[in-house]
Amino acid sequence: MRTLIQQVHIYLSLLSFSSLCVFGVIGVYATMAPKWEDRPQPPAKRWEVPFAAPKDLDDEALAESVRRQFGPPLSSPVAQRFLRHTPAGRLQIDLFHVNGLTRIIVHEDHLQLEESRAGALEYLNRIHATTIRNPSSDWRLRAWVWYNELAVWSLLGMALTGILLWLTLRLTHKGAFVASILGAAVFLLIYWRLQ
Amino acid sequence: MKRKLYPVLRDVHLTAGLFSMLFVLMYGWSSLQFSHPAWADTQPVTVEWQTQLAPGLAPRDAAQALRMDLGLQGDLAQIRQQNGLTQFRLVKPGVVQEVRYEPATGATRLKTNRWGWAGMMNRLHTAAGLWHEDGWVNLYGWLVGLVSFGLLLLGSTGLYLWFVRKRERKLGIVMLAISLLWGLGTMVAMRVA
């Protein structure tokens, strides 16, 4: 039984290895990064494309038509409540995606596009938070969210099997015992103070 | 060399894992709550109440008065001043105070949002950084960094501990290959999209 638990622990960790590395890296990044408003924003790339806006579409339908034709492949449809208008009354479509933000402003005869690409660490932060709750028609995003789901279950499985292995194999290890008490005490103290 | 290295790395793996265990369980469970919001009630309990502060205070001074006089805690955030009204929030993971202060009279209305266990898990998951005004939140930020480094240490030591075990090597290589193809492959594919 112990051997089985050990094997489960090992195989779960190897299966989710890529995600676990991401979780560790972005945890360190989140610790060291300044607050959001103080982070340097990536420079935006701007360009225009000709576009004749159909007159018979409402904002939501127009936004979806524009997104499908000109938006980044990893963007999702924008709900009505998130659509904006510029002070000049033009429809502004903000497409948030794992690689950054693409803003499209619809003029009568052209589209004005502005793309800000997230840095590598911010990209990892975004994908770690992209879950099966975020539906997408893009195969890459779908494949990722299911891998991420597997990684989360694996993380829990690893933690639980790891605790079991400690209790059955290494309970007399003094350092490990002290570490478990210390870690638990610190967590519970923080929980109590931050509540 | 292998004979000396294995027990050392095994002890490092064990110690790092056990120190981090409650943190890892918190991250794992809260991740499931984020993916499956119907599984737990993560909404806060809200209570509205009123108090009186001195009139004419700037937002930061009003926040400090609430901290000193009433023991409220948290980072000052989302300051808005409009139509003779000052609004701001005092934010810490378990409690958010929404404050509406009238500088002319000092009348202050507050909405206290307090999270239960499930909501607290989610709030701890998203809390990080060393820039907070609250020292306890900064301490938590240091612990997040330590546990995150611990996760990387667990991964690297775990990789060695697995590879030297001949019985699990073959199937382990298959699992690792799936991880790299599926996980790393989609990461790269999305980045270049």
Side-chain angles (χ1 to χ4, degrees):
Chain A
M1 185 66 184
R2 210 184 284 160
T3 308
L4 179 63
I5 295 172
Q6 205 161 27
Q7 287 175 335
V8 168
H9 183 83
I10 291 170
Y11 295 140
L12 283 179
S13 63
L14 290 169
L15 200 53
S16 55
F17 187 75
S18 301
S19 261
L20 295 184
C21 289
V22 170
F23 297 159
V25 166
I26 57 110
V28 175
Y29 165 62
T31 300
M32 307 312 296
K35 60 169 116 171
W36 179 257
E37 309 85 79
D38 296 337
R39 293 181 201 180
Q41 296 304 316
K45 191 173 82 171
R46 295 181 176 86
W47 71 102
E48 294 180 359
V49 296
F51 178 75
K55 302 271 187 266
D56 57 339
L57 296 178
D58 64 13
D59 283 351
E60 196 169 354
L62 178 59
E64 181 58 11
S65 173
V66 166
R67 185 191 73 81
R68 282 176 181 271
Q69 291 180 68
F70 302 99
L74 301 181
S75 61
S76 297
V78 185
Q80 173 73 35
R81 64 184 183 278
F82 294 124
L83 293 173
R84 303 269 180 270
H85 288 84
T86 64
R90 306 200 189 287
L91 180 63
Q92 177 179 308
I93 309 161
D94 285 345
L95 300 170
F96 294 94
H97 49 92
V98 294
N99 281 314
L101 165 67
T102 301
R103 173 166 289 166
I104 306 177
I105 298 174
V106 182
H107 295 255
E108 281 181 9
D109 58 354
H110 69 278
L111 298 176
Q112 187 183 320
L113 292 100
E114 184 180 300
E115 187 180 75
S116 307
R117 192 168 169 81
L121 289 172
E122 180 56 29
Y123 165 71
L124 292 179
N125 185 31
R126 287 168 187 240
I127 63 168
H128 109 279
T130 305
T131 67
I132 59 176
R133 197 179 162 190
N134 312 107
S136 174
S137 56
D138 187 271
W139 70 268
R140 289 159 290 203
L141 214 44
R142 281 210 310 275
W144 169 254
V145 299
W146 281 106
Y147 181 75
N148 213 17
E149 178 80 2
L150 173 69
V152 169
W153 284 103
S154 296
L155 187 67
L156 282 171
M158 264 188 288
L160 293 171
T161 52
I163 293 168
L164 272 174
L165 286 171
W166 167 54
L167 291 172
T168 56
L169 279 173
R170 312 281 292 159
L171 195 54
T172 54
H173 190 286
K174 282 187 187 150
F177 188 77
V178 169
S180 67
I181 298 294
L182 192 62
V186 163
F187 180 84
L188 292 172
L189 174 67
I190 286 286
Y191 183 96
W192 170 65
R193 285 299 307 184
L194 295 186
Q195 203 183 20
Chain B
M1 173 75 165
K2 198 163 74 173
R3 282 176 186 249
K4 287 181 186 170
L5 199 54
Y6 185 90
V8 169
L9 292 184
R10 186 190 56 198
D11 286 352
V12 167
H13 189 89
L14 178 65
T15 309
L18 287 175
F19 180 84
S20 316
M21 69 176 166
L22 288 190
F23 292 89
V24 170
L25 289 171
M26 177 270 292
Y27 280 119
W29 178 249
S30 54
S31 299
L32 289 182
Q33 287 183 166
F34 282 127
S35 303
H36 307 275
W39 288 7
D41 181 7
T42 56
Q43 295 306 305
V45 171
T46 300
V47 172
E48 296 190 31
W49 52 293
Q50 297 174 65
T51 191
Q52 184 70 31
L53 296 178
L57 296 176
R60 192 159 282 281
D61 295 329
Q64 192 58 16
L66 289 170
R67 289 187 182 118
M68 300 294 292
D69 298 348
L70 297 175
L72 301 188
Q73 297 171 332
D75 293 334
L76 178 59
Q78 295 180 35
I79 302 172
R80 284 180 300 169
Q81 292 174 280
Q82 210 172 5
N83 303 327
L85 197 63
T86 296
Q87 295 178 80
F88 58 84
R89 292 182 174 209
L90 289 174
V91 179
K92 70 173 187 176
V95 185
V96 170
Q97 309 279 358
E98 296 175 44
V99 183
R100 288 164 62 94
Y101 167 72
E102 291 175 33
T105 61
T108 307
R109 288 193 295 181
L110 297 101
K111 204 187 277 190
T112 302
N113 303 290
R114 190 178 294 277
W115 277 265
W117 180 83
M120 188 65 176
M121 292 294 103
N122 285 13
R123 303 272 303 169
L124 285 177
H125 187 124
T126 56
L130 308 176
W131 43 264
H132 302 276
E133 296 171 63
D134 189 320
W136 285 99
V137 184
N138 281 339
L139 175 60
Y140 180 68
W142 279 111
L143 289 167
V144 167
L146 186 65
V147 167
S148 301
F149 176 74
L151 204 56
L152 295 171
L153 196 61
L154 284 166
S156 51
T157 53
L159 211 55
Y160 176 84
L161 293 172
W162 153 66
F163 194 74
V164 299
R165 295 171 65 93
K166 290 188 178 141
R167 182 154 56 161
E168 285 87 18
R169 196 179 288 169
K170 274 191 187 153
L171 189 52
I173 288 174
V174 173
M175 296 292 172
L176 190 59
I178 293 173
S179 168
L180 294 174
L181 279 168
W182 188 2
L184 191 60
T186 45
M187 275 190 244
V188 171
M190 290 189 296
R191 186 59 173 163
V192 302

